[in-house]
Each structure stands twice: as C-alpha cells, then as structure tokens.
Amino acid sequence: MPRPAIFVTRKLPPDVEARLSRDYDAALSRADSLPSRETILAGATGKDGLLVTVTDRIDGDLIRALPETVRVIATFSVGYDHIDITAAKARGIAVTNTPDVLTDATAEIALLLMLGAARNATSAIATLRSGQWKNWAPTGMLGMEITGNRLGILGLGRIGRATAHRARAFGMEIHYHNRRRLDPKDEAGANYHADIESLFRVSNVLSLHCASTPETRRIVNRETIALLPDNAVVVNTARGDIVDDDALIEALASGRLAAAGLDVFANEPNLDPRYLDLPNAFLLPHLGSATRETRNAMGFRALDNLDAFFAGQTPRDLLTA
C-alpha cells in the first residue's frame, strides 16, 4: 500500500524528519520560512494530512478550503488556539497536539524568566556589555529575591505544577487559580483561590500558565494589574494574548510593577517594540520548548498520533473527539 502523504509546514529536527521520510511520503520544508495561506493550500494538494506548527494560522476559512484528501492535522505544539477545531470537526478532519513532552523545558524557562526579571538582569547585562560597569556598588543594580516570596500561578496544569515544584526549592509559597480546584495530591500544598482577584492580590510573582481562550485573553490588564502587590513581577510562558500589552508596558514604565519576564508575545515575532526599551523587561524569543530533547519529543509525539490515525486507531492526543 502507498504510504500516507503528509505536507510539513516548517523544518523539523533531523531525527524527526528522518522518521517522517521513512514512514510517510513527506513533503518537507526546506526554506523554513513562515508559510502563507496559499503555500499551505498548495502544499496540501493531494496530501492525506498536514503536520503544522504553532506559527501556522489554520483558521476556519483555510480548513474549509483544504482538499478533500486531507483527513488529519497534527500540530507540533501543546497549544492549539491557532487551529479552528470546530471547523475541523465539521469537515471530519482529526486534529492532534503534543502535550506532556515540553512540560519540564517550559518550566525551566519560567524559572529563568522569574530570576532574570526579579534580579534586574536586562539592565545588568546591558551595563556589562556596553562597558559601563566600572565597579561594584552597594546600591548598584538591585533586584528582588524570589526566595520566600509568594508565587501566584494562573493555571496549575502540567507546566504550572512543574514550575511550582521548582519554585518550592526557592522556598516560595505557592498560590494558584484554576477553573476547578485540584485534588490535594496535585496541589502539593498550594493555596487555592476561587477567583483571580484573590490570587492577584497575594502574588509577589505572577506566573501565567493558562490556555488562550476568549475568557483569558487580556486577563492581565489595567484592572487586574492594579490588584497585584507593589513591585510585583509578571512572568508569561503561556500565550502572548493573555496580556494587554498597553497595560503591562504602562505598569513597567511607571514602576507600578518591578519587572516582567516574557517568553511569548501577541503577534509574535512582531512584539510591541516598546518592550525593547524597558530595562525592567526580561525578554526571550519563545524559548519555552527550545531544547534538543524536547523538540525531538514533540516531533515523535506528533508522529505517534499520525501513526495511530493511519492505522485506524484513536490518536492519543485527539482534539476533535
């Protein structure tokens, strides 16, 4: 029997592409540029499935325009807000994602952002690299210790719990808000807050780990920032649109917040350029899953889902059940 034909929108790790080429009739991406809608539709011609990434906007119009041959879309990501799941279900197209495998890598970045933001790393690094560091000073480049501080986690899922586990090593007191309270074993001593207002009021450091939904978009805004303690730190490894950029930039520029550590941005890679001028903004270019181990694991998880689908089985990470 002929191997299933798969269109791959971005260049993937070599080991993942090797398995793709072995098991599928795979049209791989060589240029690794962000594909346009037209490129995706052209690449999907005659294909049985698509392997896409978080950078690809697979909206309802695109899904409805896909060739009838396309039966499955596997995304190389945990998040799937870039795919119109409802439209895919209406077309009978299966959609899968890659949860679990990037938990530890993203939690590590959350801690890096916390420390970098709280310890004034952006300003300190700029001082060092520009040759302006002349001597040690008792009052120079002061930051905030996270040790013993209260960490508020918005979304205590897999990554949130992994972040909390690491933060406990710093003696941080863990607080969280979810739509539903977790079992005590999953809380691991964390303090539950039934609403975000209560959580924000106690969060010296606020770490965002919730999904992007209509309810969470711009949930960090002027009103909720006003609830945070003075000199709080905001960390985001979730999705950029959870944050109202105008409100966060205003709070950082005015000193209402001590700092922010951001790995994700609205409209990335076209982040709001005002962030670049803020010495108390510690910024990374979406590095949450950027380890060799994790990117391989993401690719293999996506391929496991494709293997199951074409074998007539239910994929482990099916989103359109």
PDB file of all heavy atoms in Angstrom, residues 266-298:
ATOM      1  N   ALA A 266       1.992  38.753  21.940  1.00  0.00           N
ATOM      2  CA  ALA A 266       0.941  38.893  20.935  1.00  0.00           C
ATOM      3  C   ALA A 266       1.589  39.232  19.594  1.00  0.00           C
ATOM      4  O   ALA A 266       2.560  39.996  19.533  1.00  0.00           O
ATOM      5  CB  ALA A 266      -0.036  39.988  21.352  1.00  0.00           C
ATOM      6  N   ASN A 267       1.089  38.638  18.541  1.00  0.00           N
ATOM      7  CA  ASN A 267       1.564  38.895  17.170  1.00  0.00           C
ATOM      8  C   ASN A 267       3.033  38.556  16.972  1.00  0.00           C
ATOM      9  O   ASN A 267       3.691  39.127  16.089  1.00  0.00           O
ATOM     10  CB  ASN A 267       1.328  40.366  16.788  1.00  0.00           C
ATOM     11  CG  ASN A 267      -0.121  40.771  16.920  1.00  0.00           C
ATOM     12  OD1 ASN A 267      -1.019  40.066  16.448  1.00  0.00           O
ATOM     13  ND2 ASN A 267      -0.373  41.886  17.585  1.00  0.00           N
ATOM     14  N   GLU A 268       3.570  37.628  17.788  1.00  0.00           N
ATOM     15  CA  GLU A 268       4.984  37.307  17.620  1.00  0.00           C
ATOM     16  C   GLU A 268       5.238  36.717  16.233  1.00  0.00           C
ATOM     17  O   GLU A 268       4.351  36.069  15.665  1.00  0.00           O
ATOM     18  CB  GLU A 268       5.456  36.361  18.717  1.00  0.00           C
ATOM     19  CG  GLU A 268       4.759  35.014  18.794  1.00  0.00           C
ATOM     20  CD  GLU A 268       5.293  34.165  19.938  1.00  0.00           C
ATOM     21  OE1 GLU A 268       5.252  34.609  21.109  1.00  0.00           O
ATOM     22  OE2 GLU A 268       5.733  33.043  19.642  1.00  0.00           O
ATOM     23  N   PRO A 269       6.401  36.982  15.638  1.00  0.00           N
ATOM     24  CA  PRO A 269       7.566  37.619  16.245  1.00  0.00           C
ATOM     25  C   PRO A 269       7.526  39.143  16.247  1.00  0.00           C
ATOM     26  O   PRO A 269       8.515  39.786  16.618  1.00  0.00           O
ATOM     27  CB  PRO A 269       8.706  37.123  15.355  1.00  0.00           C
ATOM     28  CG  PRO A 269       8.082  37.023  13.999  1.00  0.00           C
ATOM     29  CD  PRO A 269       6.675  36.522  14.257  1.00  0.00           C
ATOM     30  N   ASN A 270       6.412  39.715  15.863  1.00  0.00           N
ATOM     31  CA  ASN A 270       6.314  41.182  15.824  1.00  0.00           C
ATOM     32  C   ASN A 270       5.820  41.708  17.166  1.00  0.00           C
ATOM     33  O   ASN A 270       4.720  42.242  17.278  1.00  0.00           O
ATOM     34  CB  ASN A 270       5.368  41.596  14.696  1.00  0.00           C
ATOM     35  CG  ASN A 270       5.830  41.096  13.342  1.00  0.00           C
ATOM     36  OD1 ASN A 270       6.986  41.274  12.973  1.00  0.00           O
ATOM     37  ND2 ASN A 270       4.940  40.437  12.619  1.00  0.00           N
ATOM     38  N   LEU A 271       6.657  41.559  18.182  1.00  0.00           N
ATOM     39  CA  LEU A 271       6.276  42.031  19.502  1.00  0.00           C
ATOM     40  C   LEU A 271       6.202  43.551  19.535  1.00  0.00           C
ATOM     41  O   LEU A 271       6.813  44.233  18.705  1.00  0.00           O
ATOM     42  CB  LEU A 271       7.254  41.547  20.559  1.00  0.00           C
ATOM     43  CG  LEU A 271       8.649  42.184  20.620  1.00  0.00           C
ATOM     44  CD1 LEU A 271       9.265  41.970  21.993  1.00  0.00           C
ATOM     45  CD2 LEU A 271       9.555  41.601  19.554  1.00  0.00           C
ATOM     46  N   ASP A 272       5.457  44.065  20.498  1.00  0.00           N
ATOM     47  CA  ASP A 272       5.354  45.518  20.669  1.00  0.00           C
ATOM     48  C   ASP A 272       6.759  46.077  20.922  1.00  0.00           C
ATOM     49  O   ASP A 272       7.412  45.699  21.897  1.00  0.00           O
ATOM     50  CB  ASP A 272       4.436  45.826  21.858  1.00  0.00           C
ATOM     51  CG  ASP A 272       4.070  47.299  21.941  1.00  0.00           C
ATOM     52  OD1 ASP A 272       4.985  48.145  21.856  1.00  0.00           O
ATOM     53  OD2 ASP A 272       2.878  47.603  22.123  1.00  0.00           O
ATOM     54  N   PRO A 273       7.272  46.960  20.069  1.00  0.00           N
ATOM     55  CA  PRO A 273       8.660  47.424  20.195  1.00  0.00           C
ATOM     56  C   PRO A 273       8.934  48.199  21.472  1.00  0.00           C
ATOM     57  O   PRO A 273      10.097  48.355  21.862  1.00  0.00           O
ATOM     58  CB  PRO A 273       8.854  48.304  18.951  1.00  0.00           C
ATOM     59  CG  PRO A 273       7.478  48.717  18.543  1.00  0.00           C
ATOM     60  CD  PRO A 273       6.586  47.570  18.900  1.00  0.00           C
ATOM     61  N   ARG A 274       7.896  48.662  22.149  1.00  0.00           N
ATOM     62  CA  ARG A 274       8.119  49.405  23.389  1.00  0.00           C
ATOM     63  C   ARG A 274       8.740  48.529  24.470  1.00  0.00           C
ATOM     64  O   ARG A 274       9.438  49.032  25.357  1.00  0.00           O
ATOM     65  CB  ARG A 274       6.802  50.004  23.885  1.00  0.00           C
ATOM     66  CG  ARG A 274       6.246  51.108  22.992  1.00  0.00           C
ATOM     67  CD  ARG A 274       4.881  51.572  23.477  1.00  0.00           C
ATOM     68  NE  ARG A 274       3.869  50.514  23.343  1.00  0.00           N
ATOM     69  CZ  ARG A 274       2.636  50.593  23.826  1.00  0.00           C
ATOM     70  NH1 ARG A 274       2.264  51.691  24.490  1.00  0.00           N
ATOM     71  NH2 ARG A 274       1.783  49.603  23.657  1.00  0.00           N
ATOM     72  N   TYR A 275       8.520  47.213  24.403  1.00  0.00           N
ATOM     73  CA  TYR A 275       9.153  46.318  25.378  1.00  0.00           C
ATOM     74  C   TYR A 275      10.671  46.402  25.313  1.00  0.00           C
ATOM     75  O   TYR A 275      11.364  46.269  26.323  1.00  0.00           O
ATOM     76  CB  TYR A 275       8.726  44.873  25.125  1.00  0.00           C
ATOM     77  CG  TYR A 275       7.360  44.508  25.641  1.00  0.00           C
ATOM     78  CD1 TYR A 275       6.367  44.052  24.780  1.00  0.00           C
ATOM     79  CD2 TYR A 275       7.057  44.589  26.996  1.00  0.00           C
ATOM     80  CE1 TYR A 275       5.109  43.692  25.252  1.00  0.00           C
ATOM     81  CE2 TYR A 275       5.805  44.233  27.484  1.00  0.00           C
ATOM     82  CZ  TYR A 275       4.833  43.788  26.602  1.00  0.00           C
ATOM     83  OH  TYR A 275       3.594  43.436  27.071  1.00  0.00           O
ATOM     84  N   LEU A 276      11.195  46.610  24.105  1.00  0.00           N
ATOM     85  CA  LEU A 276      12.643  46.600  23.913  1.00  0.00           C
ATOM     86  C   LEU A 276      13.332  47.766  24.602  1.00  0.00           C
ATOM     87  O   LEU A 276      14.540  47.715  24.850  1.00  0.00           O
ATOM     88  CB  LEU A 276      12.959  46.614  22.420  1.00  0.00           C
ATOM     89  CG  LEU A 276      12.374  45.446  21.610  1.00  0.00           C
ATOM     90  CD1 LEU A 276      12.628  45.656  20.132  1.00  0.00           C
ATOM     91  CD2 LEU A 276      12.946  44.123  22.082  1.00  0.00           C
ATOM     92  N   ASP A 277      12.587  48.797  24.907  1.00  0.00           N
ATOM     93  CA  ASP A 277      13.164  49.975  25.554  1.00  0.00           C
ATOM     94  C   ASP A 277      13.017  49.960  27.073  1.00  0.00           C
ATOM     95  O   ASP A 277      13.455  50.892  27.743  1.00  0.00           O
ATOM     96  CB  ASP A 277      12.505  51.248  25.005  1.00  0.00           C
ATOM     97  CG  ASP A 277      12.770  51.450  23.522  1.00  0.00           C
ATOM     98  OD1 ASP A 277      13.881  51.108  23.076  1.00  0.00           O
ATOM     99  OD2 ASP A 277      11.862  51.930  22.814  1.00  0.00           O
ATOM    100  N   LEU A 278      12.417  48.908  27.600  1.00  0.00           N
ATOM    101  CA  LEU A 278      12.177  48.850  29.040  1.00  0.00           C
ATOM    102  C   LEU A 278      13.287  48.061  29.729  1.00  0.00           C
ATOM    103  O   LEU A 278      13.447  46.860  29.483  1.00  0.00           O
ATOM    104  CB  LEU A 278      10.826  48.180  29.325  1.00  0.00           C
ATOM    105  CG  LEU A 278       9.587  48.968  28.912  1.00  0.00           C
ATOM    106  CD1 LEU A 278       8.346  48.089  29.016  1.00  0.00           C
ATOM    107  CD2 LEU A 278       9.429  50.209  29.791  1.00  0.00           C
ATOM    108  N   PRO A 279      14.080  48.694  30.597  1.00  0.00           N
ATOM    109  CA  PRO A 279      15.161  47.977  31.266  1.00  0.00           C
ATOM    110  C   PRO A 279      14.667  46.925  32.249  1.00  0.00           C
ATOM    111  O   PRO A 279      15.437  46.042  32.646  1.00  0.00           O
ATOM    112  CB  PRO A 279      15.927  49.098  31.984  1.00  0.00           C
ATOM    113  CG  PRO A 279      14.923  50.179  32.181  1.00  0.00           C
ATOM    114  CD  PRO A 279      14.028  50.114  30.991  1.00  0.00           C
ATOM    115  N   ASN A 280      13.393  47.007  32.651  1.00  0.00           N
ATOM    116  CA  ASN A 280      12.855  46.022  33.595  1.00  0.00           C
ATOM    117  C   ASN A 280      12.008  44.955  32.905  1.00  0.00           C
ATOM    118  O   ASN A 280      11.232  44.251  33.554  1.00  0.00           O
ATOM    119  CB  ASN A 280      12.046  46.708  34.701  1.00  0.00           C
ATOM    120  CG  ASN A 280      10.950  47.617  34.168  1.00  0.00           C
ATOM    121  OD1 ASN A 280      10.897  47.920  32.979  1.00  0.00           O
ATOM    122  ND2 ASN A 280      10.077  48.074  35.054  1.00  0.00           N
ATOM    123  N   ALA A 281      12.179  44.822  31.582  1.00  0.00           N
ATOM    124  CA  ALA A 281      11.532  43.742  30.842  1.00  0.00           C
ATOM    125  C   ALA A 281      12.605  42.742  30.418  1.00  0.00           C
ATOM    126  O   ALA A 281      13.502  43.072  29.628  1.00  0.00           O
ATOM    127  CB  ALA A 281      10.795  44.281  29.623  1.00  0.00           C
ATOM    128  N   PHE A 282      12.525  41.532  30.948  1.00  0.00           N
ATOM    129  CA  PHE A 282      13.460  40.463  30.612  1.00  0.00           C
ATOM    130  C   PHE A 282      12.781  39.600  29.552  1.00  0.00           C
ATOM    131  O   PHE A 282      11.777  38.943  29.822  1.00  0.00           O
ATOM    132  CB  PHE A 282      13.790  39.645  31.867  1.00  0.00           C
ATOM    133  CG  PHE A 282      14.817  38.577  31.646  1.00  0.00           C
ATOM    134  CD1 PHE A 282      16.142  38.906  31.427  1.00  0.00           C
ATOM    135  CD2 PHE A 282      14.471  37.234  31.691  1.00  0.00           C
ATOM    136  CE1 PHE A 282      17.103  37.916  31.236  1.00  0.00           C
ATOM    137  CE2 PHE A 282      15.412  36.242  31.501  1.00  0.00           C
ATOM    138  CZ  PHE A 282      16.738  36.584  31.272  1.00  0.00           C
ATOM    139  N   LEU A 283      13.324  39.623  28.327  1.00  0.00           N
ATOM    140  CA  LEU A 283      12.618  39.088  27.166  1.00  0.00           C
ATOM    141  C   LEU A 283      13.376  37.929  26.525  1.00  0.00           C
ATOM    142  O   LEU A 283      14.599  37.987  26.373  1.00  0.00           O
ATOM    143  CB  LEU A 283      12.430  40.192  26.124  1.00  0.00           C
ATOM    144  CG  LEU A 283      11.876  41.527  26.619  1.00  0.00           C
ATOM    145  CD1 LEU A 283      11.875  42.551  25.486  1.00  0.00           C
ATOM    146  CD2 LEU A 283      10.469  41.350  27.190  1.00  0.00           C
ATOM    147  N   LEU A 284      12.626  36.906  26.123  1.00  0.00           N
ATOM    148  CA  LEU A 284      13.179  35.774  25.393  1.00  0.00           C
ATOM    149  C   LEU A 284      12.313  35.514  24.150  1.00  0.00           C
ATOM    150  O   LEU A 284      11.105  35.756  24.178  1.00  0.00           O
ATOM    151  CB  LEU A 284      13.201  34.518  26.263  1.00  0.00           C
ATOM    152  CG  LEU A 284      14.086  34.556  27.512  1.00  0.00           C
ATOM    153  CD1 LEU A 284      13.900  33.281  28.322  1.00  0.00           C
ATOM    154  CD2 LEU A 284      15.553  34.730  27.133  1.00  0.00           C
ATOM    155  N   PRO A 285      12.904  34.990  23.083  1.00  0.00           N
ATOM    156  CA  PRO A 285      12.157  34.780  21.830  1.00  0.00           C
ATOM    157  C   PRO A 285      11.497  33.406  21.755  1.00  0.00           C
ATOM    158  O   PRO A 285      11.847  32.561  20.944  1.00  0.00           O
ATOM    159  CB  PRO A 285      13.245  34.946  20.765  1.00  0.00           C
ATOM    160  CG  PRO A 285      14.481  34.412  21.434  1.00  0.00           C
ATOM    161  CD  PRO A 285      14.351  34.792  22.885  1.00  0.00           C
ATOM    162  N   HIS A 286      10.507  33.180  22.607  1.00  0.00           N
ATOM    163  CA  HIS A 286       9.704  31.946  22.629  1.00  0.00           C
ATOM    164  C   HIS A 286      10.612  30.714  22.690  1.00  0.00           C
ATOM    165  O   HIS A 286      10.594  29.841  21.817  1.00  0.00           O
ATOM    166  CB  HIS A 286       8.792  31.869  21.404  1.00  0.00           C
ATOM    167  CG  HIS A 286       7.595  31.001  21.623  1.00  0.00           C
ATOM    168  ND1 HIS A 286       6.377  31.248  21.047  1.00  0.00           N
ATOM    169  CD2 HIS A 286       7.420  29.875  22.353  1.00  0.00           C
ATOM    170  CE1 HIS A 286       5.503  30.318  21.414  1.00  0.00           C
ATOM    171  NE2 HIS A 286       6.124  29.465  22.216  1.00  0.00           N
ATOM    172  N   LEU A 287      11.340  30.610  23.805  1.00  0.00           N
ATOM    173  CA  LEU A 287      12.283  29.507  24.000  1.00  0.00           C
ATOM    174  C   LEU A 287      11.727  28.382  24.863  1.00  0.00           C
ATOM    175  O   LEU A 287      12.456  27.436  25.184  1.00  0.00           O
ATOM    176  CB  LEU A 287      13.576  30.031  24.661  1.00  0.00           C
ATOM    177  CG  LEU A 287      14.419  31.031  23.880  1.00  0.00           C
ATOM    178  CD1 LEU A 287      15.665  31.378  24.665  1.00  0.00           C
ATOM    179  CD2 LEU A 287      14.782  30.484  22.507  1.00  0.00           C
ATOM    180  N   GLY A 288      10.437  28.449  25.226  1.00  0.00           N
ATOM    181  CA  GLY A 288       9.890  27.509  26.198  1.00  0.00           C
ATOM    182  C   GLY A 288      10.226  26.059  25.939  1.00  0.00           C
ATOM    183  O   GLY A 288      10.647  25.342  26.849  1.00  0.00           O
ATOM    184  N   SER A 289      10.081  25.601  24.719  1.00  0.00           N
ATOM    185  CA  SER A 289      10.337  24.197  24.402  1.00  0.00           C
ATOM    186  C   SER A 289      11.665  23.995  23.679  1.00  0.00           C
ATOM    187  O   SER A 289      11.923  22.897  23.157  1.00  0.00           O
ATOM    188  CB  SER A 289       9.200  23.637  23.533  1.00  0.00           C
ATOM    189  OG  SER A 289       9.149  24.303  22.280  1.00  0.00           O
ATOM    190  N   ALA A 290      12.509  25.017  23.667  1.00  0.00           N
ATOM    191  CA  ALA A 290      13.689  25.002  22.794  1.00  0.00           C
ATOM    192  C   ALA A 290      14.874  24.255  23.407  1.00  0.00           C
ATOM    193  O   ALA A 290      15.908  24.830  23.741  1.00  0.00           O
ATOM    194  CB  ALA A 290      14.090  26.426  22.427  1.00  0.00           C
ATOM    195  N   THR A 291      14.698  22.942  23.550  1.00  0.00           N
ATOM    196  CA  THR A 291      15.833  22.064  23.827  1.00  0.00           C
ATOM    197  C   THR A 291      15.808  20.958  22.779  1.00  0.00           C
ATOM    198  O   THR A 291      14.751  20.624  22.228  1.00  0.00           O
ATOM    199  CB  THR A 291      15.773  21.425  25.229  1.00  0.00           C
ATOM    200  OG1 THR A 291      14.677  20.499  25.284  1.00  0.00           O
ATOM    201  CG2 THR A 291      15.598  22.492  26.307  1.00  0.00           C
ATOM    202  N   ARG A 292      16.956  20.388  22.492  1.00  0.00           N
ATOM    203  CA  ARG A 292      17.007  19.305  21.512  1.00  0.00           C
ATOM    204  C   ARG A 292      16.114  18.144  21.935  1.00  0.00           C
ATOM    205  O   ARG A 292      15.399  17.551  21.113  1.00  0.00           O
ATOM    206  CB  ARG A 292      18.455  18.834  21.336  1.00  0.00           C
ATOM    207  CG  ARG A 292      19.329  19.809  20.549  1.00  0.00           C
ATOM    208  CD  ARG A 292      20.720  19.260  20.363  1.00  0.00           C
ATOM    209  NE  ARG A 292      21.463  19.218  21.630  1.00  0.00           N
ATOM    210  CZ  ARG A 292      22.155  20.227  22.117  1.00  0.00           C
ATOM    211  NH1 ARG A 292      22.190  21.380  21.461  1.00  0.00           N
ATOM    212  NH2 ARG A 292      22.807  20.117  23.258  1.00  0.00           N
ATOM    213  N   GLU A 293      16.165  17.835  23.239  1.00  0.00           N
ATOM    214  CA  GLU A 293      15.390  16.710  23.728  1.00  0.00           C
ATOM    215  C   GLU A 293      13.893  16.940  23.548  1.00  0.00           C
ATOM    216  O   GLU A 293      13.148  16.055  23.096  1.00  0.00           O
ATOM    217  CB  GLU A 293      15.702  16.458  25.208  1.00  0.00           C
ATOM    218  CG  GLU A 293      17.148  16.106  25.505  1.00  0.00           C
ATOM    219  CD  GLU A 293      18.052  17.316  25.709  1.00  0.00           C
ATOM    220  OE1 GLU A 293      17.598  18.454  25.465  1.00  0.00           O
ATOM    221  OE2 GLU A 293      19.212  17.127  26.106  1.00  0.00           O
ATOM    222  N   THR A 294      13.441  18.139  23.895  1.00  0.00           N
ATOM    223  CA  THR A 294      12.007  18.418  23.850  1.00  0.00           C
ATOM    224  C   THR A 294      11.494  18.542  22.426  1.00  0.00           C
ATOM    225  O   THR A 294      10.423  18.007  22.092  1.00  0.00           O
ATOM    226  CB  THR A 294      11.696  19.698  24.645  1.00  0.00           C
ATOM    227  OG1 THR A 294      11.967  19.433  26.024  1.00  0.00           O
ATOM    228  CG2 THR A 294      10.250  20.113  24.485  1.00  0.00           C
ATOM    229  N   ARG A 295      12.230  19.203  21.545  1.00  0.00           N
ATOM    230  CA  ARG A 295      11.749  19.346  20.180  1.00  0.00           C
ATOM    231  C   ARG A 295      11.694  17.981  19.476  1.00  0.00           C
ATOM    232  O   ARG A 295      10.792  17.732  18.676  1.00  0.00           O
ATOM    233  CB  ARG A 295      12.614  20.339  19.406  1.00  0.00           C
ATOM    234  CG  ARG A 295      12.501  21.786  19.932  1.00  0.00           C
ATOM    235  CD  ARG A 295      11.176  22.429  19.548  1.00  0.00           C
ATOM    236  NE  ARG A 295      10.954  23.687  20.216  1.00  0.00           N
ATOM    237  CZ  ARG A 295      11.425  24.866  19.825  1.00  0.00           C
ATOM    238  NH1 ARG A 295      12.200  24.954  18.755  1.00  0.00           N
ATOM    239  NH2 ARG A 295      11.128  25.966  20.494  1.00  0.00           N
ATOM    240  N   ASN A 296      12.636  17.102  19.774  1.00  0.00           N
ATOM    241  CA  ASN A 296      12.535  15.738  19.243  1.00  0.00           C
ATOM    242  C   ASN A 296      11.304  15.035  19.795  1.00  0.00           C
ATOM    243  O   ASN A 296      10.553  14.394  19.051  1.00  0.00           O
ATOM    244  CB  ASN A 296      13.784  14.936  19.594  1.00  0.00           C
ATOM    245  CG  ASN A 296      14.890  15.079  18.565  1.00  0.00           C
ATOM    246  OD1 ASN A 296      14.644  15.422  17.413  1.00  0.00           O
ATOM    247  ND2 ASN A 296      16.112  14.798  18.964  1.00  0.00           N
ATOM    248  N   ALA A 297      11.092  15.170  21.105  1.00  0.00           N
ATOM    249  CA  ALA A 297       9.947  14.502  21.729  1.00  0.00           C
ATOM    250  C   ALA A 297       8.628  15.027  21.174  1.00  0.00           C
ATOM    251  O   ALA A 297       7.670  14.263  20.988  1.00  0.00           O
ATOM    252  CB  ALA A 297      10.004  14.686  23.244  1.00  0.00           C
ATOM    253  N   MET A 298       8.563  16.321  20.900  1.00  0.00           N
ATOM    254  CA  MET A 298       7.355  16.890  20.300  1.00  0.00           C
ATOM    255  C   MET A 298       7.099  16.285  18.915  1.00  0.00           C
ATOM    256  O   MET A 298       5.975  15.903  18.580  1.00  0.00           O
ATOM    257  CB  MET A 298       7.483  18.411  20.200  1.00  0.00           C
ATOM    258  CG  MET A 298       7.447  19.129  21.535  1.00  0.00           C
ATOM    259  SD  MET A 298       7.900  20.884  21.382  1.00  0.00           S
ATOM    260  CE  MET A 298       6.498  21.519  20.435  1.00  0.00           C
TER     261      MET A 298
END
